[in-house]
Amino acid sequence: MPDANVRIPADARDRLADIAAAEGLSLRSYLARLAETLLTPAERAERATKARAVLREWNGYDPAEHEQAELDAELDRRMTDAGAA
């Protein structure tokens, strides 16, 4: 596979290189592994749809769109609170 050049701030590159080195990887290997493990927005949406279908079949859980929005907002609030602690 041919390599590509990506321009990022030097501070970001250095931080990523430090993280990679701590895991015993080159920056190139670390970024390749990262790209393989992260999901695209479409992949995340597909997984969410499948998870909702499994929950609906398993226990009838099927929140309406506005309920999902409320639950998402609550999760966001809790994550923010946890990050502030």
Side-chain angles (χ1 to χ4, degrees):
M1 175 186 313
D3 288 340
N5 292 319
V6 178
R7 297 181 57 86
I8 62 171
D11 290 347
R13 178 207 56 218
D14 294 344
R15 179 173 170 78
L16 290 169
D18 288 344
I19 294 168
E23 295 189 25
L25 298 170
S26 67
L27 180 55
R28 181 182 188 276
S29 295
Y30 178 77
L31 292 174
R33 186 181 74 182
L34 186 64
E36 291 172 3
T37 59
L38 294 176
L39 299 175
T40 66
E43 290 166 334
R44 284 194 306 274
E46 180 181 352
R47 283 194 179 186
T49 298
K50 287 180 181 178
R52 283 191 300 271
V54 167
L55 286 171
R56 186 173 40 255
E57 183 177 320
W58 176 57
N59 67 4
Y61 181 73
D62 191 16
E65 197 169 312
H66 75 279
E67 291 170 317
Q68 284 180 333
E70 291 171 3
L71 292 167
D72 287 345
E74 176 66 12
L75 180 59
D76 289 344
R77 184 191 64 75
R78 289 181 184 215
M79 293 296 290
T80 298
D81 290 351

